[in-house]
Amino acid sequence: MSKDVLIFVECKDAVPRKASLELLSAGRQIAEKFSSVLFAVVMGSDMKNAAGIVSGYTDKTIVVDDGSLAEYGWDLMSSVLEGILTKYSPAIVLGTSSMTGKDLFPRLAARFQAAMVSDAVGVDLEGDGLKIKKPLYGGKVISWVAPGPEAMLIATFRPNSFAVNEPGRNGEIIEEKMNVSKDPGITVVSSTKAGSKKVDLQEADFIICGGRGMKAAENFSLLEDIADLMGGRVGASRTVVDSKWRDYDDQIGKSGKTVSPKLYIGCGVSGALHHIMGMDTSKVIVAINKDPNAPIFQYADYGIVDDAFAVLPALKEELKKVREDS
Amino acid sequence: MNVLVFIKQVADTEARIIISSDQKSLEIENKYTVNFFDEFAVEEAIRIKEALKDVQITVCTFAPARATEALRTAIAMGADRAVRIDSTNFATDDPLIVARALASYAKIEGFDLILCGRQAMDDESANVGAMVAEFLNIPHVSQISRLHMLDAGRAEVENEIEGGKKVSEVTLPALFTAQKGLNEPRVPLITGVMKAMKTEITVLDPASSGTPFGPIDDGSSRVSVLSYELPAQRPSVRIIEGETPEEKVKGLVRVLKEEAKVL
Ligand SMILES: Cc1cc2nc3c(=O)[nH]c(=O)nc-3n(C[C@H](O)[C@H](O)[C@H](O)COP(=O)(O)OP(=O)(O)OC[C@H]3O[C@@H](n4cnc5c(N)ncnc54)[C@H](O)[C@@H]3O)c2cc1C
Ligand SMILES: Nc1ncnc2c1ncn2[C@@H]1O[C@H](COP(=O)(O)O)[C@@H](O)[C@H]1O
């Protein structure tokens, strides 16, 4: 049986998301191991440009360009994917464990009776098959999971699970017309997009997270400035969200979002277990806290023990220099 | 109206988890709670009942006997009936098996509305809700933050989407998964707790009650856990010293650049 790999590419403003480029890079390694074909599927409205970028990574890029796919809906997307998975029958389907991925793939897995592994953070290609690394219990335990031999595997990964490689290919682009079917039971009344040009919190490489130690909503502008400078995002602890200083969208932790940026900086965050669960897969963790005994120092790589309000202006200046040099 | 709520009993955040020496199994300290997001689902069902009166709330779990406690918590909050589909001897690592067991029960009983949590805190998989909806061939909406019952068997829900919010009107029967913020779950009153103690909990054997959506026996599991391990330990923290905050920051930026190579 072939072990073809298919990547579901997510786009933002018709550009492939970084998380999808990561999957394309990882998918290449998997396809090489099994000497199989690497497919990608790009769907939406006006996707030519995105397909061009994606084809730099794949053997075959399937584009479904259809005005009725402009807005996301699991009903629309799953009907298209159903057609594609049936026609091309890949053995391994990879997606991002984004809001879209979490909404869409379980339905497809049930439709195809597929092995479903979600919210994974890595793969192991040593040995015969494919092993998937998936954290459990808020990251307290790591499990290694294998799909059954006959089943189609659908796996979703957290953003920042893989490095993005150089494209360097010129794969075939296949334009497909697929049946888009809508669930008659759902009518969208309205949808509001914050219209933010900023990266998603879960996809950000750089996160500076404020805790109760930031004292007030207006002080988060200090963090916003640094996040903007670094092309990253501001996160928040639950206490901050409960105090209405920041939106729930920004909350990192057990009852908020799970993030794994390259660099996480916590400012005035104590490091309660509930918070740590949402960020301990970050590559590098920095803590800024005036209390040397704050639990966050047990999880951090680097720490500054000082008043955040004295540290942050200096940090902004130093980071500005780094940016200007590069 | 019949409302069904799926709840899962999960290990508490504080519970100690020990990996067996062969790395094949986990030993979990006996500290369990109702899954964080499932409490919002139970609470929402109770609010619907309070508003519409003629509503019966059933809470259901696919779990071993220890989860009886979680069902009692839901009854104490205000659910009417509780059902435990016995999961002993089933491979609950495969979300399809869990979803088949739950969907089968829903199919046999028939429900107008199904609520569940957006994600379980132990497996963190966020699969079961949408899978059940797919088996039952009904619409679902993930991560709802508001629910409003309309007349004629419809509901209006708000949910979070990539970078924004969406409001949809959905024809029942439908399944919704609860996000934090949907409501404030109540703390059971002592009278509720008393009632819960006396409530009979139905226990079903899935093998005899039937599973119209496919097999759930061990052999039908599509995934297997090969091993468990502890996450890689970080080396202990390096505190960056300095006379002034500026000096500390300079030191920090230098190590981030030269040592950690993240700038
Ligand atoms: C079921 C459940 C789910 C939860 N989910 C989450 C979650 O998803 N995310 C989350 O974050 N929490 C969550 N929590 C809450 C969590 O347990 C903590 O209460 C919370 O993370 C604490 O937030 P904090 O660190 O901002 O505040 P605190 O714990 O109050 O810490 C403030 C810190 O700021 C420091 N500080 C004060 N002033 C300064 C200053 N001038 N300069 C530098 N440092 C300063 C203090 O030393 C202290 O360490 C959850 C709790 C429960 C029960
Ligand atoms: N074994 C189970 N019994 C009852 N409900 C469950 C079970 N597993 C998951 N659920 C429900 O499905 C939601 C999502 O779980 P999961 O897909 O495991 O993250 C949970 O919040 C529960 O509401």
Side-chain angles (χ1 to χ4, degrees), chain A residues 81-90 174-178:
Chain A
L81 269 176
E82 182 181 344
I84 288 171
L85 298 187
T86 306
K87 180 163 175 183
Y88 294 92
S89 51
I174 305 169
E175 288 186 34
E176 281 284 2
K177 285 266 166 281
M178 283 285 162

Side-chain angles (χ1 to χ4, degrees), chain A residues 303-320:
Chain A
I304 289 184
V305 178
D306 213 323
D307 184 344
F309 296 99
V311 172
L312 287 169
L315 183 62
K316 182 173 147 190
E317 286 316 307
E318 284 303 310
L319 290 175
K320 210 183 255 168

Side-chain angles (χ1 to χ4, degrees), chain A residues 212 215 237-239 251-253 255 268 270 274-275 289 307-308:
Chain A
R212 199 209 305 263
K215 304 268 190 304
S237 71
R238 173 164 162 187
T239 314
Q251 184 179 318
I252 294 173
S255 55
S270 62
H274 294 113
H275 183 79
N289 197 305
D307 184 344

Side-chain angles (χ1 to χ4, degrees), chain B residues 114-170:
Chain B
I114 303 179
L115 298 170
C116 69
R118 84 145 144 103
Q119 159 174 357
M121 289 299 188
D122 48 3
D123 59 39
E124 303 181 37
S125 81
N127 283 327
V128 168
M131 283 179 172
V132 168
E134 176 70 21
F135 284 130
L136 295 172
N137 196 21
I138 59 174
H140 84 273
V141 178
S142 298
Q143 311 204 9
I144 63 163
S145 49
R146 191 165 58 76
L147 181 138
H148 177 62
M149 297 301 288
L150 306 169
D151 49 8
R154 286 171 314 137
E156 187 184 86
V157 291
E158 176 191 78
N159 75 329
E160 208 183 330
I161 52 168
E162 224 65 73
K165 288 239 152 78
K166 182 149 126 183
V167 178
S168 321
E169 240 182 66
V170 186

Side-chain angles (χ1 to χ4, degrees), chain A residues 20-259:
Chain A
S20 296
L21 300 182
E22 289 177 25
L23 294 179
L24 289 164
S25 308
R28 169 56 59 201
Q29 290 174 350
I30 299 171
E32 260 162 27
K33 174 186 164 91
F34 296 118
S35 312
S36 60
V37 180
L38 179 63
F39 288 94
V41 45
V42 183
M43 60 175 86
S45 169
D46 220 356
M47 287 293 136
K48 302 266 176 317
N49 182 43
I53 299 172
V54 170
S55 68
Y57 291 88
T58 59
D59 301 309
K60 293 170 198 274
T61 300
I62 303 159
V63 201
V64 186
D65 214 324
D66 190 321
S68 56
L69 295 171
E71 290 292 320
Y72 168 78
W74 62 260
D75 44 349
L76 315 172
M77 299 264 179
S78 69
S79 65
V80 173
L81 269 176
E82 182 181 344
I84 288 171
L85 298 187
T86 306
K87 180 163 175 183
Y88 294 92
S89 51
I92 299 166
V93 179
L94 307 182
T96 307
S97 64
S98 58
M99 257 180 258
T100 297
K102 285 180 176 168
D103 192 47
L104 176 64
F105 287 112
R107 278 207 89 117
L108 273 172
R111 212 169 290 175
F112 283 87
Q113 309 284 323
M116 177 86 218
V117 183
S118 53
D119 216 25
V121 296
V123 293
D124 181 356
L125 294 171
E126 303 293 317
D128 298 339
L130 179 63
K131 287 193 269 178
I132 301 173
K133 183 180 185 182
K134 176 179 164 55
L136 302 174
Y137 301 95
K140 278 204 232 173
V141 176
I142 301 292
S143 66
W144 286 96
V145 183
E150 296 91 34
M152 178 200 285
L153 165 70
I154 300 181
T156 62
F157 291 86
R158 287 185 197 162
N160 295 319
S161 292
F162 304 104
V164 177
N165 296 336
E166 288 302 315
R169 293 202 176 227
N170 192 4
E172 181 190 352
I173 295 182
I174 305 169
E175 288 186 34
E176 281 284 2
K177 285 266 166 281
M178 283 285 162
N179 175 38
V180 183
S181 70
K182 209 187 148 325
D183 189 314
I186 302 183
T187 316
V188 178
V189 178
S190 67
S191 77
T192 47
K193 287 251 165 77
S196 138
K197 287 272 170 247
K198 290 185 179 153
V199 293
D200 271 20
L201 186 61
Q202 280 169 296
E203 237 178 285
D205 272 340
F206 175 93
I207 292 175
I208 186 157
C209 178
R212 199 209 305 263
M214 290 304 295
K215 304 268 190 304
E218 55 271 26
N219 296 332
F220 277 75
S221 64
L222 282 165
L223 305 181
E224 282 292 352
D225 288 351
I226 292 175
D228 286 348
L229 186 66
M230 302 302 291
R233 274 287 305 263
V234 172
S237 71
R238 173 164 162 187
T239 314
V240 164
V241 172
D242 287 351
S243 312
K244 307 242 180 312
W245 299 347
R246 301 293 294 184
D247 288 340
Y248 176 52
D249 265 10
D250 291 349
Q251 184 179 318
I252 294 173
K254 170 171 161 153
S255 55
K257 294 202 165 78
T258 307
V259 298

